[in-house]
Amino acid sequence: MTQTHSALAPNAVIGIVGGGQLGRMSAVAASRLGFKTHILTQDAHGPAAQVSSAVTLGAYDDPDALDAFAKAVDVVTFEFENINADALDRLSRHCPVRPSGHILRISQDRLAEKTFLASAGVPLAPWHAVTDRATLHEAARKLGFPLILKTTRNGYDGKGQRRVYTEAELDEAFEALAPHPLVAEGMVDFACELSVMVVRGTDGTTRCFDTVLNHHWHGILDLTLAPAPVAENVAQEAGRLAAIIAEKFDLIGIMGVEMFLTRDGSLMINEVAPRPHNSGHWTMDACPQDQFDMHIRAVAGLPLPAAIRHSDAVMKNLVGPEDMALWPAILANPGHIPHLYGKKEARPGRKMGHVNILFPYSGLPGEWGIQAALGPLATKCAAPPAADED
């Protein structure tokens, strides 16, 4: 069981590994709670460095940079998963690391993650480890076609995966994806993708934000609806599963739990992300304490209030130059609450910011009402979602 730790005092320093937008928004939340932040990053002008109290420039596997960073902070957290968990272990010699390197190791390897989730007793989509051509073809026999072949590490926003429709495509997909081993996943007859942001404190208190529904565009999260327009028992079960995983992990901090809702009404866990998550950005304007506030509270050992919302919300990602071309129209719309990340260049597929749109509590409209509220931002939403590709 998680042990209770003393809460950090005001003006304590929270170290954040990573300099992207999640670190930026975490740093802003920390400042509201009276903390300073210190960012470890390789980009002196990145989103998080722009708003932090201090910055250490260095590689995430540089022992000297890691030691200097750890000695300058009171606790460490991280804002993205593509770092070496060994680095977190080194940091933990000097100060607490929340979430722990143990959790990161599991979450950044799909095989380890699925094995862990299976041991936690939560439902998963059918899967099979692929270590060589023999296990590749064994996976195809067990899962059938089509299936999805994925790298075990460094896959995000639809990257590092291939859909395979026939036996003839197997070997080519196996060669195209690297490094090995891989994971094969059976296709799920899903109705939609749901996610839950779950946060757990140093005293074991666990809170879940409302279950939300996600739409994707080319494997990148495009739209989040809060709350998810699903049956109440489904939403509650999603939160229950997220809390089980957090407890099993002995999590301290926040975690996104993605899952599929199948057409027969059952839930299957897809993956977890032990950090603030894109599908939790709606909380920034629809909740008294958003996902970043709650994450900082947990990391700092502060009490966790109930994760409640005062409004329904739609979150729309701003991706690449196409969406950024709409920035003047966004600013002119009184119903759009904009959040930009401070990135220098709008490249295709790059998340530049997001927009939140609020509705009265229990007043989330249907598809046409959401389209109308989005205005010019609604252009992508006519295509069917690709929830299984994120």
Side-chain angles (χ1 to χ4, degrees), residues 219-292:
I220 300 175
L221 180 63
D222 181 49
L223 205 67
T224 294
L225 311 185
V230 297
E232 182 60 28
N233 67 304
V234 171
Q236 290 180 353
E237 177 64 5
R240 187 186 75 86
L241 293 174
I244 288 173
I245 295 169
E247 178 71 25
K248 182 73 172 178
F249 265 134
D250 198 16
L251 175 75
I252 299 177
I254 201 161
M255 177 173 65
V257 181
E258 298 177 359
M259 58 193 80
F260 298 129
L261 175 64
T262 65
R263 298 195 187 280
D264 65 6
S266 60
L267 291 168
M268 293 182 177
I269 303 300
N270 180 28
E271 60 185 17
V272 302
R275 52 166 173 79
H277 193 265
N278 197 171
S279 69
H281 290 351
W282 66 274
T283 63
M284 296 176 73
D285 298 297
C287 300
Q289 285 82 36
D290 65 32
Q291 67 162 334
F292 300 100

Side-chain angles (χ1 to χ4, degrees), residues 295-378:
H295 179 58
I296 294 297
R297 282 172 174 263
V299 168
L302 302 180
L304 297 180
I308 59 175
R309 77 179 197 280
H310 54 68
S311 302
D312 291 6
V314 170
M315 188 284 301
K316 171 70 173 68
N317 266 335
L318 302 177
V319 180
E322 179 185 23
D323 283 350
M324 287 306 299
L326 301 173
W327 185 241
I330 293 167
L331 292 177
N333 190 321
H336 290 180
I337 306 174
H339 299 267
L340 270 196
Y341 303 151
K343 296 180 180 180
K344 294 180 182 178
E345 182 184 1
R347 298 193 296 266
R350 192 182 199 194
K351 295 174 184 174
M352 301 300 296
H354 68 273
V355 170
N356 284 334
I357 303 172
L358 300 186
F359 302 90
Y361 187 90
S362 295
L364 188 70
E367 179 182 354
W368 292 112
I370 292 173
Q371 297 282 325
L374 286 168
L377 290 172

